[in-house]
Each structure stands twice: as C-alpha cells, then as structure tokens.
Amino acid sequence: MAERCIFCRIVAGEVPASFLHQDEEVIAFRDIEPQAPTHILVVPKAHIPSIGELGQSELIGRLIQVANQVAQKEGIAKAGYRLVINCGREGGQVVPHLHLHLLGGRKLSGSLG
Ligand code: DGP
C-alpha cells in the first residue's frame, strides 16, 4: 500500500496536531511552521491532492465556511484575515493534500507573491 501523506496521517490520528475543528468532512489544526500569529490549516479528510483536482464539489464552500468559523473562534474575524490555497509546485504547494491556509493576527503584506 502506498505511504499515506502527512495530512492523511493527521486525519487518521497517527500524527498529533493542535486541532481547532473536526467534523465528518473537514478538520482544522495549527500549522507547524506559522507565518503569522494565527496560522491554521483547513483540510478535507478525503485525500484530494490539490485544488486543481477537486472537480465539481461543494467541498470548497465547506472549507471556507469552516475557515470563517475558526477565524471567529480565534478572535481575528473582525480585524481581518487571509485565506490562501497553494496549487502545485510553482504555486508553492508542498503537501500534496488539498488545504486552505487561514492567516491573521497581524497586518499582512499586500503582496501576492
Ligand atoms: P503548502 O506549502 O501550501 O503545501 O503548505 C503546507 C503547510 O503544512 C506548511 O505551512 C507547513 C505545514 N505542515 C507540514 N507538515 C506539517 C505537520 O506535520 N503538522 C502541521 N501541523 N503542519 C504541517
């Protein structure tokens, strides 16, 4: 059997993470290499390699909904935050399992790259 990716291992409970949300479809946990005071990953439980491979799905709406809820819980919703999805090598994606970055807690740079 192919080795599972790190996020599948977190979903399976094999690798610890600091969870902020868990439901049947989606989990959210703190990024191990935070780029901002609040840096949370919102991740589908299903192994979808990237946003480019999502196809027709309501999942992206669910991921954004969870990110918004977690932003509220973290107390950053009013000040504002950024949601980022990297796709593929040149898009800066390192972990090949779809995830959404929720970043906030400081004034983020205006640059998109
Ligand atoms: P990306 O470049 O979009 O694929 O971002 C992957 C993020 O995943 C990166 O910010 C670091 C984070 N990350 C990688 N491995 C782990 C891990 O084992 N635990 C947690 N919490 N985060 C991880």
Side-chain angles (χ1 to χ4, degrees), residues 1-111:
M1 193 173 122
E3 204 175 296
R4 277 185 298 173
C5 81
I6 185 67
F7 289 175
C8 282
R9 296 188 64 209
I10 289 174
V11 168
E14 295 166 8
V15 172
S18 174
F19 290 102
L20 296 139
H21 175 95
Q22 298 197 58
D23 64 39
E24 322 77 57
E25 271 188 317
V26 179
I27 60 172
F29 53 89
R30 292 195 194 282
D31 195 292
I32 209 168
E33 295 164 17
Q35 306 297 312
T38 298
H39 188 169
I40 292 159
L41 300 170
V42 182
V43 178
K45 286 186 170 174
H47 181 82
I48 298 158
S50 78
I51 192 77
E53 287 158 87
L54 184 60
Q56 277 284 353
S57 169
E58 290 170 8
L59 185 59
I60 191 64
R62 183 68 194 130
L63 294 175
I64 291 172
Q65 195 178 35
V66 169
N68 290 339
Q69 287 167 358
V70 172
Q72 288 278 355
K73 275 198 237 169
E74 284 289 292
I76 60 169
K78 201 166 173 206
Y81 51 93
R82 183 173 293 170
L83 304 179
V84 174
I85 299 175
N86 296 325
C87 181
R89 184 172 46 83
E90 291 200 357
Q93 184 179 4
V94 174
V95 176
H97 182 132
L98 172 60
H99 53 282
L100 189 155
H101 296 258
L102 164 62
L103 297 150
R106 69 168 164 81
K107 177 87 174 78
L108 298 166
S109 135
S111 165

